[in-house]
Amino acid sequence: MKNLCFTWLLLCFSHAIFSQDMTTKLVKLKEELEYVKENKIKINSLNFNQSGDWVIFYGDIGYSFNDMDTSIANRLKIMNADKKQLKDIEIYNDSWLILSDNNAYFSYKLEENIVTLLKKINKDGKKINDVTIFSENKWLILFGYSGYAANNIPEKAKKKLEMLNNQHKLLRKFVLTDDGWIIFFGTNGFAYENLPQNASDKLLELYEKNNIVNFIVFYKDNWVIIYDDYFYVTNF
């Protein structure tokens, strides 16, 4: 597959980026999602920074973004040139983490306790599947098949993770919001609490239609659901 690396948003429109409002950012995001869908390329990750700018990983090494921090943009450019797989990205304030192939990861200004734990998981030879950082003391790491390490997550989420771990269920993805959470497990299972009603309704609708929900991502009142690898639905 060709090296898909869409930095034109920065190169061609850098003079206008700082004046973009949220509506413009979301419109550009949908344009990128449409492109990926039309070309039937698997979406691996989608995330927002504090300002509502976004980054997408798709295919093996493809990515696109809108006004990402220079440290992220430079790292992605290097990884793309080196043909390093782009699996997932987590952004919290000015820190970030990128997961790559062979359990490799790259981080910037990440909390030392999280870095220490990631090093231990790596040393133990367990695959890092997902990292969720909601605040400096509220985070979760999924590793191996059903392993997890968490700090200060909601009690009901922790109990559900314990149950899934005891049942040896594959833990795929974990998402935190201001008031709620969702765990994606098994082939197409998920459990959640206190999600926006329109988001949970759409998740259940997709599930009932036997669509595979890959993940959901939130930015304030906005959300995007990725399903069946490259399809998407949003509330904007």
Side-chain angles (χ1 to χ4, degrees):
M1 185 180 69
K2 66 179 181 179
N3 295 356
L4 296 170
C5 173
F6 293 93
T7 56
W8 59 269
L9 289 171
L10 289 177
L11 298 176
C12 300
F13 298 105
S14 59
H15 65 282
I17 277 175
F18 294 103
S19 64
Q20 289 179 5
D21 60 15
M22 197 59 217
T23 299
T24 301
K25 294 175 183 181
L26 294 177
V27 167
K28 291 188 175 184
L29 171 57
K30 290 183 78 170
E31 289 174 354
E32 289 298 297
L33 291 171
E34 277 295 316
Y35 176 88
V36 176
K37 183 182 74 172
E38 289 171 4
N39 286 274
K40 299 181 179 180
I41 309 169
K42 182 178 180 180
I43 298 173
N44 303 314
S45 180
L46 166 62
N47 215 326
F48 292 91
N49 64 14
Q50 297 283 93
S51 302
D53 293 296
W54 46 265
V55 56
I56 309 172
F57 290 174
Y58 48 84
D60 292 325
I61 61 173
Y63 69 93
S64 58
F65 62 79
N66 187 78
D67 195 23
M68 279 292 113
D69 182 85
T70 302
S71 62
I72 296 178
N74 289 342
R75 173 53 58 184
L76 290 177
K77 183 177 180 180
I78 292 169
M79 292 180 71
N80 183 272
D82 291 342
K83 294 182 170 53
K84 297 289 186 182
Q85 185 179 7
L86 298 172
K87 293 175 58 180
D88 198 6
I89 183 169
E90 187 69 17
I91 306 170
Y92 170 67
N93 289 339
D94 60 347
S95 66
W96 51 262
L97 172 76
I98 296 173
L99 298 180
S100 186
D101 51 348
N102 299 318
N103 233 26
Y105 62 88
F106 302 87
S107 64
Y108 180 77
K109 294 185 178 181
L110 200 61
E111 291 293 318
E112 188 58 37
N113 55 346
I114 300 176
V115 174
T116 299
L117 185 52
L118 289 171
K119 287 180 179 178
K120 183 180 185 306
I121 293 170
N122 235 334
K123 185 178 179 180
D124 292 342
K126 296 179 180 178
K127 182 181 178 183
I128 302 168
N129 297 321
D130 185 43
V131 180
T132 300
I133 305 171
F134 191 76
S135 67
E136 61 186 34
N137 66 347
K138 190 174 184 179
W139 49 264
L140 180 133
I141 301 172
L142 301 180
F143 59 89
Y145 193 80
S146 57
Y148 70 93
N151 189 68
N152 201 30
I153 65 170
E155 190 61 29
K156 286 187 178 180
K158 185 176 180 180
K159 288 182 178 179
K160 185 64 177 181
L161 286 165
E162 289 175 355
M163 185 189 75
L164 293 168
N165 177 272
N166 290 334
Q167 294 174 347
H168 302 291
K169 296 286 188 180
L170 172 65
L171 297 176
R172 295 190 287 119
K173 194 82 174 174
F174 183 83
V175 179
L176 279 165
T177 68
D178 288 333
D179 303 311
W181 51 269
I182 181 168
I183 305 167
F184 292 93
F185 61 89
T187 303
N188 196 28
F190 53 85
Y192 61 86
E193 183 180 48
N194 293 335
L195 294 187
Q197 188 66 50
N198 56 359
S200 59
D201 286 347
K202 182 55 67 173
L203 287 167
L204 292 172
E205 177 186 327
L206 290 167
Y207 179 79
E208 290 170 359
K209 292 180 178 178
N210 294 319
N211 297 110
I212 303 296
V213 178
N214 301 98
F215 60 87
I216 184 171
V217 62
F218 296 89
Y219 179 73
K220 295 186 177 180
D221 295 330
N222 305 294
W223 51 261
V224 182
I225 297 172
I226 303 299
Y227 67 97
D228 293 345
D229 291 342
Y230 49 80
F231 290 94
Y232 73 94
V233 60
T234 77
N235 68 330
F236 54 82

